[in-house]
Amino acid sequence: MLDFYQQLAAALKQNAVVLATVTNTKGSVPREVGAKMFISADGKTYGTIGGGAGEAKVCQQALQVLQTGEKQFVEIDLSGVPQRETQGVCGGTMLVLLELWKGSESLNLVNQIIDTLTSGGMGAIATPFTPNEKPYLLTEPYLITSLKTTELIEPLLPPPTLLIIGAGHIAVSLAQIAKIAGFQVIVQDDRPDFATEERFPEASLLLAEPITSIQKILEKISNLYVALVTRGYLHDLAALRTLCNYQVQYIGMVGSKKRVTTVYKTLQNEGFTTEFLHQIYAPIGLDIGALTPEEIAVSICAELIKVRRGGSGISLSEKISRE
C-alpha cells in the first residue's frame, strides 16, 4: 500500500491520473475490495485489479474519465457467460470505480496518506460514490469505525515489516523477494562486511550491530515479522532471548532438525515456556523441496504470506480436489 501511494504521488507531480478501485465483488474474482491501479494519460499503469480483459476494459474507460473528469463505475463480469463483453471464467463479478485525481489537492491527500502509513498513525481513506464528492482522509477512530453504503472506507495499515536476523546468502535473496511481496525489510548482522547497502539495497534499515540493537525495532514496530537466518544456533539463542519479551506476528528459524532441537532444549532448560517455543516456525519455510539459498528464500516468503493472509499452505489443486 505504501509503495502504491508513493508511486501515485510521483505520477501526480507530472500529470493527472485515473484511480481505479475495486469497490464490490461477488463470487470468485482475482482481486479483493480495495485493490487499486492508476492509469496515466499515456496509458501507462501501476498496480493491478486482476489483469486480463477486465483490466483492459478499465484502462479503456479510464481514458474517458481523463477527458470528462466524471466518475464511472465499470462492471467486470468473469462468469464466463458467452454474451458478456469481458471474457473470464473465474466465476464472479467485480465493480470498479474510476475517478480522476489531479492537481495539488489530490497530491496533498496522497502525501497525507503516506504520512499516516509511515508514522504508524491511525487513519482511513474514504472514497464517496456520489458524483461530486471527492476522497478524503479520516483520522478520528470513531469516524473510521462508522460505515456508509455511499462510500468505501479503507483503513490505512502500515506495511508489514520483516526483520531478517543474519545477512548471509539466504538473507540476500529473502530481502529481495520479501520487498516484492510488500514487506518493509530490516536486516541485522553484527558483521559490518555483510550488512551493507550493496548487499541489501532493498532494506529500509541496516543494523550492522550486535543483536541487542534489535530492541529499538521491537519497541517501535507493531506489525513485525522476524526471520532468523543466522550463521549458528548461538546467534539464534541470543535473538530468541530478546524476542520472547515482545509480541510479533511471526518468528521463523532456519536450521536442521538437530539445530532446532538444540535451540529448543537450551531454552527449555533456561525456563522458557512451551507456549513461546510453539510460536516459532522451525525449520522455517514451507516444504517445497528447496535446496539453494534462492529457493529457501522463496519457501520462507511463502510461509510469511501464509501467516499474513491466513492461508492453508496446501497446493491449490489439492484444495480444489478436496472441495
Side-chain angles (χ1 to χ4, degrees), residues 120-200:
M122 189 173 185
I125 178 71
T127 303
F129 299 152
T130 49
N132 297 322
E133 290 189 74
K134 297 181 178 180
Y136 58 96
L137 186 67
L138 291 167
T139 56
E140 297 295 332
Y142 70 89
L143 289 176
I144 294 172
T145 57
S146 67
L147 297 177
K148 298 181 181 179
T149 58
T150 57
E151 62 185 31
L152 176 66
I153 299 178
E154 304 168 81
L156 294 174
L157 304 175
T161 297
L162 174 62
L163 171 60
I164 302 174
I165 299 178
H169 297 300
I170 295 174
V172 170
S173 296
L174 179 57
Q176 296 170 352
I177 299 169
K179 179 68 175 178
I180 294 172
F183 288 82
Q184 294 276 74
V185 176
I186 298 173
V187 179
Q188 182 278 331
D189 196 298
D190 59 1
R191 299 169 294 178
D193 292 342
F194 280 73
T196 65
E197 291 183 4
E198 290 76 19
R199 286 168 57 80
F200 297 97

Side-chain angles (χ1 to χ4, degrees), residues 6 11 59 116 123 125 131 138 164 178 225:
Q6 289 172 333
C59 290
T116 301
I125 178 71
L138 291 167
I164 302 174
Y225 296 68

Side-chain angles (χ1 to χ4, degrees), residues 61-127:
Q61 294 296 111
L63 298 179
Q64 293 184 15
V65 177
L66 280 166
Q67 296 296 322
T68 65
E70 297 179 358
K71 294 181 183 180
Q72 285 190 29
F73 277 101
V74 178
E75 183 185 27
I76 300 175
D77 192 300
L78 303 172
S79 62
V81 178
Q83 64 268 26
R84 288 294 188 179
E85 182 180 350
T86 53
Q87 296 179 354
V89 290
C90 289
T93 59
M94 302 167 63
L95 195 62
V96 180
L97 176 64
L98 305 183
E99 54 184 349
L100 184 68
W101 285 50
K102 67 175 183 178
S104 58
E105 184 177 3
S106 291
L107 181 58
N108 288 339
L109 175 58
V110 174
N111 285 332
Q112 291 177 40
I113 293 170
I114 292 172
D115 289 342
T116 301
L117 290 171
T118 54
S119 67
M122 189 173 185
I125 178 71
T127 303

